[in-house]
Amino acid sequence: FSLKRLLKGTIVIKIFMWIYCLFYRKKSSSVRALATDHISDVVANAFLLFCYLISIFFWPYMDPLGGIAISFFLMYNWYNEGSIEVKKLSG
């Protein structure tokens, strides 16, 4: 398998899993966290694929810069999710 094919398959599967979780996210905070994880993976993998292609054809520094950008996106995203859960637990 090539990296591009694997990433494309992961993106499609995660989109379907995210849509499935959308129907049940109001019932459980665990399902909401799963939905957040799935959409984070979709965004991160799509951006990773974009950065990979840019780094191959145009600018080789795009791949490490994309990795740094994805890291900050994931930290921000999960910080927000964690702060929501802490607010629920603390009342």
Side-chain angles (χ1 to χ4, degrees), residues 2-63:
S2 70
L3 178 64
K4 290 185 279 187
R5 181 182 290 174
L6 185 63
L7 278 176
K8 288 176 189 176
T10 301
I11 290 168
V12 169
I13 290 170
K14 286 287 191 170
I15 287 173
F16 284 123
M17 292 170 68
W18 175 67
I19 291 170
Y20 180 76
C21 287
L22 285 180
F23 293 111
Y24 299 104
R25 71 179 173 175
K26 301 231 186 234
K27 295 180 182 180
S28 170
S29 63
S30 298
V31 175
R32 195 182 79 245
L34 276 174
T36 302
D37 180 51
H38 294 321
I39 198 64
S40 296
D41 286 345
V42 168
V43 170
N45 286 332
F47 189 69
L48 175 68
L49 184 59
F50 172 74
C51 290
Y52 172 73
L53 293 173
I54 294 295
S55 71
I56 286 177
F57 295 112
F58 299 108
W59 193 45
Y61 297 109
M62 189 64 184
D63 191 32

